[in-house]
């Protein structure tokens, strides 16, 4: 889903970090003296994607460890 500029409604290219405030190139330049204070929407989306991949990997690892624990426990109890 494409993010929209909160001022003019055009496609957003920038975002205030950790907020839902998005800006197109023109509005960002107009309203912020230093664009390095903002993050690129694509970069933020990529960062979030990597974070989710990492968490999904952790979840899969936890499930594998739980399965192994259950198998080991059932062997000990028999």
């Amino acid at each position: 889903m494409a993010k929209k500029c909160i001022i003019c409604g055009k496609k957003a290219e920038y975002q205030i970090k950790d907020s839902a405030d998005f800006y197109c190139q023109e509005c960002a330049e107009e309203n912020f003296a230093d664009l390095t204070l903002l993050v690129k929407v694509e970069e933020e989306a990529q960062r979030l994607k990597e974070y989710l991949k990492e968490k999904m990997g952790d979840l899969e690892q936890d499930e594998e460890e739980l399965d192994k624990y259950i198998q080991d426990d059932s062997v000990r109890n028999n």
Side-chain angles (χ1 to χ4, degrees):
M1 181 168 112
K3 301 297 182 185
K4 303 281 183 190
C5 176
I6 64 170
I7 296 172
C8 70
K10 291 180 186 173
K11 181 182 175 191
E13 295 182 38
Y14 292 96
Q15 168 184 12
I16 294 177
K17 187 174 182 173
D18 298 327
S19 82
D21 295 342
F22 297 93
Y23 301 91
C24 67
Q25 179 77 34
E26 185 179 309
C27 291
E29 289 172 351
E30 219 172 87
N31 290 281
F32 296 93
D34 186 2
L35 292 183
T36 62
L37 300 173
L38 304 173
V39 292
K40 288 264 194 180
V41 171
E42 270 306 308
E43 291 170 5
E44 187 68 7
Q46 188 62 33
R47 186 184 67 79
L48 180 58
K49 186 176 178 180
E50 290 301 318
Y51 174 79
L52 291 174
K53 275 185 187 177
E54 179 184 315
K55 289 299 173 187
M56 290 300 291
D58 290 348
L59 180 60
E60 289 173 4
Q61 184 179 359
D62 289 348
E63 287 176 352
E64 289 171 6
E65 289 174 4
L66 179 59
D67 287 344
K68 185 177 183 308
Y69 176 79
I70 290 170
Q71 287 175 349
D72 291 347
D73 190 50
S74 68
V75 168
R76 277 185 248 135
N77 290 332
N78 286 331

